[in-house]
Amino acid sequence: MLALPSTRLLLLFGESLPSSRLPNVSRKVWGQTSVRFVSQVNPDNGPLTLSSLGFKSGFEKTNKIKADKIERLDVPSEAPKSKVRGVGSNGIKTVKTFRVKKSLEIESAPFSAKSFSELGLPPLLLERLDTAGFTVPTDVQSAAVPTILKGHDVVIQSYTGSGKTLAYLLPILSEVGPLKKKSANGESEFEKKEIDAVIVAPSRELGMQIVREVEKLLGPTDKKVVQQLVGGANRSRQEEALKKNKPAIVVGTPGRIAEISAAGKLHTHSCRFLVLDEVDELLSFNFREDMHRILEHVGRRSGADPRGSIAARRTIMVSATVPFSVIRAARSWGSDPLLVQAKKVMPLEAVSPSGPVNILKPTSGSDSSMRTQAALQSLPPALKHYHCVAKLQHKVDTLRRCVHALDAKCVIAFMNHTKQLKDAVFKLEARGMVAAELHGDLGKLARSTTLKKFKNGEVRVLVTNELSARGLDVAECDLVVNLDLPTDSIHYAHRAGRTGRLGRKGTVVTICEEPEVFVVKKLQKQLGIPIPACEFTEGKLNVIEED
Ligand SMILES: Nc1ncnc2c1ncn2[C@@H]1O[C@H](COP(=O)(O)OP(=O)(O)OP(=O)(O)O)[C@@H](O)[C@H]1O
């Protein structure tokens, strides 16, 4: 944990306060800056445990059965294929041997497929991918699509901007809606009936972005197969649309999905896919109550008592940052859940708390190569990171010089407080730089207008707060600036990931005061990346050599 501006709030809103006393916490996702921030202070100690969600851990019970089923899996290169180090609940290191019995055929996953046709997708979906301009799958898509199509529960972890959304959408669209595979008798007719897939995202903007990605593939005639259920929008209109259009896929924020479900207007008992996008955020305290309802009411959990003929749902959890708390949760929610990364699929049981996905692990671990690997897995490899020391009153001017020095065209600047954020926009505009603010205090229309202007290049600098840090996909963004420090390495990774998307170049500059430099050093250590000091002189970025 680095800077702890929200620690006091954390104590005030701690576990002892019933979440019913925080009515807006999960309902107004976008508008609850301070409260959302609180839970993010310590996500790894994750307030959301299995028991807090009312589930017993099925892991120990089923461990033997699972181990029996696992055959040849692509375990990380650090570990031999048959032996994987794990840490038992008593903290003692153990060596597990996975028995070879039933093939999961994971080794046949085309990890770097050259085209989508190698992934076992239906012809109509392949056509739509082509029309939408998607020709070559990314590594994480190559690994995830066949794995999910084989029926596995998965945790997808791969760096920001690597295409995780399509990695889970494609297998869903292969089995749900009008683009799905033909059945054994050759029929592919899509009959509107039940909701087959529920996709949950922590913010309205991210939810809408996912809806647009689905719509792109469905095409204009089948647009209504997907329905948004995000907070802030008119609820009764959403309920009417559910009744009228009978969508097969719904995408929404936890509060709104839980609300409509509790009102009996969302029937998800036979749902086949549950996706938790930005799962580490969704498992935070703010969303606890709503996530509890969703996890209980969407489909039938693998391993739960069978409800008649309803098949178990596939649970898909996704994030660039997967702390061990997520691995723990996923192990008991899923049946034989697998961790899917670019070029790697492994059983979750093989992941230890000090394993490569645990970006939150403090720097006490001795294995620096492991840390480096963790950072590389959540941060796009092409990103360049710098920090620049400036006095508080000169920060905005330093930002302006930074933008000019790098000739950045599309910049996202992160700040922690709305008032200072507005001041920064004012100062930038006064200096002739087109800037706009984006935060939860703005109305829905103002937010979407600003975002549109930023995406189409009318706004050069978008000054925003933590709520834009996750998921926001603006391909052209070439510079991210931290005008205020992020709370921890997870927040740094998600903020940084707004640039350098899908292999593009990107720069991240953290502007801090002298006494804050130690925080940057700590981030550098935790993430295993160099964040050298720099200054902006004569219209150039100059790296300062350190002893
Ligand atoms: N195979 C592909 N070919 C071309 N573009 C792609 C492909 N897959 C995804 N994209 C595009 O890449 C961009 C980033 O994808 P996406 O938002 O899914 O990344 P992500 O890994 O979920 O990022 P984050 O962790 O920040 O949410 C999107 O604009 C998406 O449309």
Side-chain angles (χ1 to χ4, degrees):
M1 215 48 46
L2 304 171
L4 291 171
S6 315
T7 314
R8 242 171 299 145
L9 281 168
L10 179 69
L11 296 172
L12 287 172
F13 290 135
E15 286 265 351
S16 58
L17 189 65
S19 48
S20 55
R21 303 250 314 267
L22 301 169
N24 293 325
V25 166
S26 52
R27 305 280 180 256
K28 276 180 69 186
V29 172
W30 184 271
Q32 296 294 320
T33 316
S34 59
V35 179
R36 272 170 54 92
F37 216 61
V38 169
S39 81
Q40 292 164 350
V41 167
N42 197 355
D44 195 32
N45 290 339
L48 190 113
T49 60
L50 298 178
S51 52
S52 76
L53 283 174
F55 295 125
K56 283 195 202 120
S57 167
F59 175 54
E60 275 124 57
K61 242 189 335 187
T62 56
N63 200 17
K64 188 176 176 305
I65 305 165
K66 286 176 187 172
D68 285 348
K69 281 191 203 163
I70 293 165
E71 196 194 356
R72 280 191 54 214
L73 295 165
D74 189 350
V75 296
S77 52
E78 309 83 68
K81 278 198 170 141
S82 58
K83 290 180 179 176
V84 181
R85 278 200 180 280
V87 176
S89 54
N90 55 3
I92 298 167
K93 283 198 173 166
T94 55
V95 175
K96 282 181 193 161
T97 305
F98 294 103
R99 294 242 316 269
V100 175
K101 265 200 181 166
K102 193 175 122 193
S103 174
L104 295 175
E105 294 170 47
I106 297 303
E107 70 275 22
S108 65
F111 287 116
S112 294
K114 295 200 172 47
S115 77
F116 282 105
S117 59
E118 292 174 40
L119 303 184
L121 300 170
L124 200 48
L125 183 51
L126 288 173
E127 264 175 45
R128 296 294 170 85
L129 277 166
D130 198 48
T131 313
F134 300 116
T135 49
V136 181
T138 64
D139 284 348
V140 73
Q141 290 162 1
S142 298
V145 173
T147 309
I148 299 170
L149 283 177
K150 280 191 167 85
H152 292 286
D153 288 338
V154 294
V155 173
I156 304 176
Q157 189 277 326
S158 162
Y159 57 78
T160 51
S162 57
K164 294 186 290 295
T165 316
L166 280 187
Y168 65 75
L169 284 183
L170 296 180
I172 292 176
L173 289 170
S174 293
E175 295 187 19
V176 166
L179 310 179
K180 71 180 176 190
K181 268 198 185 87
K182 288 186 180 180
S183 61
N185 60 11
E187 283 171 15
S188 68
E189 238 161 65
F190 163 58
E191 215 184 304
K192 287 181 178 182
K193 252 179 14 208
E194 301 281 339
I195 289 163
D196 279 325
V198 171
I199 301 171
V200 192
S203 77
R204 191 192 307 181
E205 274 68 14
L206 184 53
M208 293 308 298
Q209 202 172 276
I210 298 166
V211 169
R212 281 192 294 273
E213 198 94 334
V214 186
E215 285 176 346
K216 219 192 279 179
L217 295 171
L218 286 171
T221 39
D222 289 316
K223 255 169 85 165
K224 291 191 173 147
V225 171
V226 62
Q227 162 77 42
Q228 60 86 1
L229 296 180
V230 299
N234 186 306
R235 181 178 143 187
S236 41
R237 234 179 270 156
Q238 290 170 342
E239 290 174 352
E240 274 164 34
L242 282 173
K243 208 165 148 190
K244 189 170 153 220
N245 302 328
K246 297 203 182 326
I249 303 169
V250 294
V251 184
T253 46
R256 183 52 58 90
I257 292 179
E259 223 176 355
I260 298 184
S261 165
K265 308 271 172 63
L266 186 69
H267 306 289
T268 52
H269 52 282
S270 58
C271 187
R272 292 187 287 149
F273 293 94
L274 172 62
V275 180
L276 310 180
D277 201 338
E278 306 291 348
V279 59
D280 50 331
E281 173 79 348
L282 289 176
L283 296 192
S284 68
F285 178 73
N286 300 339
F287 297 115
R288 191 172 70 161
E289 229 178 84
D290 299 323
M291 289 308 299
H292 190 166
R293 182 170 180 98
I294 292 169
L295 283 156
E296 272 202 338
H297 286 79
V298 174
R300 181 174 70 76
R301 200 159 46 91
S302 310
D305 292 336
R307 271 187 239 153
S309 58
I310 298 173
R313 72 166 188 236
R314 251 167 281 173
T315 310
I316 302 170
M317 290 164 252
V318 187
S319 184
T321 48
V322 176
F324 195 70
S325 52
V326 169
I327 299 289
R328 251 192 328 250
R331 275 174 179 172
S332 64
W333 291 336
S335 141
D336 291 340
L338 298 172
L339 174 68
V340 178
Q341 295 173 301
K343 297 195 166 93
K344 193 183 287 177
V345 179
M346 62 193 272
L348 281 192
E349 289 163 51
V351 180
S352 72
S354 57
V357 288
N358 191 4
I359 187 182
L360 282 180
K361 187 86 183 126
T363 47
S364 55
S366 57
D367 189 348
S368 67
S369 71
M370 193 81 111
R371 267 197 323 267
T372 308
Q373 193 187 353
L376 292 178
Q377 282 166 352
S378 55
L379 290 164
L383 278 195
K384 291 209 168 82
H385 305 260
Y386 302 98
H387 77 275
C388 176
V389 175
K391 289 204 169 109
L392 184 64
Q393 65 272 28
H394 297 151
K395 275 190 172 186
V396 177
D397 199 49
T398 308
L399 163 67
R400 195 184 54 79
R401 285 188 289 123
C402 169
V403 172
H404 285 308
L406 294 169
D407 193 24
K409 302 282 183 287
C410 191
V411 183
I412 302 182
F414 285 99
M415 296 189 75
N416 293 340
H417 306 286
T418 312
K419 183 175 176 314
Q420 282 91 325
L421 188 159
K422 286 170 191 265
D423 291 347
V425 172
F426 183 78
K427 281 186 195 165
L428 287 169
E429 293 257 281
R431 298 291 213 107
M433 188 164 276
V434 187
E437 56 188 276
L438 185 71
H439 50 82
D441 293 354
L442 296 175
K444 191 179 150 221
L445 189 66
R447 289 208 303 269
S448 58
T449 311
T450 302
L451 211 46
K452 229 181 251 169
K453 281 187 179 170
F454 182 58
K455 285 186 177 182
N456 68 24
E458 285 174 62
V459 167
R460 190 172 184 186
V461 183
L462 184 74
V463 188
T464 184
N465 59 15
E466 210 53 46
L467 303 174
S468 301
R470 282 191 184 245
L472 185 67
D473 180 49
V474 182
E476 294 74 21
C477 176
D478 49 0
L479 172 65
V480 162
V481 177
N482 290 314
L483 271 178
D484 286 326
L485 284 169
T487 329
D488 55 32
S489 53
I490 289 282
H491 288 79
Y492 183 92
H494 285 281
R495 286 179 175 192
R498 296 318 100 210
T499 181
R501 296 182 72 73
L502 212 73
R504 292 178 182 89
K505 283 185 184 163
T507 308
V508 186
V509 177
T510 300
I511 301 174
C512 60
E513 292 176 80
E514 186 67 53
E516 294 172 322
V517 171
F518 83 98
V519 180
V520 176
K521 302 274 178 203
K522 210 166 172 184
L523 283 171
Q524 177 172 269
K525 219 169 161 190
Q526 286 183 339
L527 291 161
I529 48 160
I531 312 179
C534 75
E535 57 187 18
F536 303 101
T537 41
E538 296 168 3
K540 284 200 185 101
L541 180 152
N542 299 305
V543 179
I544 302 167
E545 296 283 331
E546 283 188 47
D547 292 340

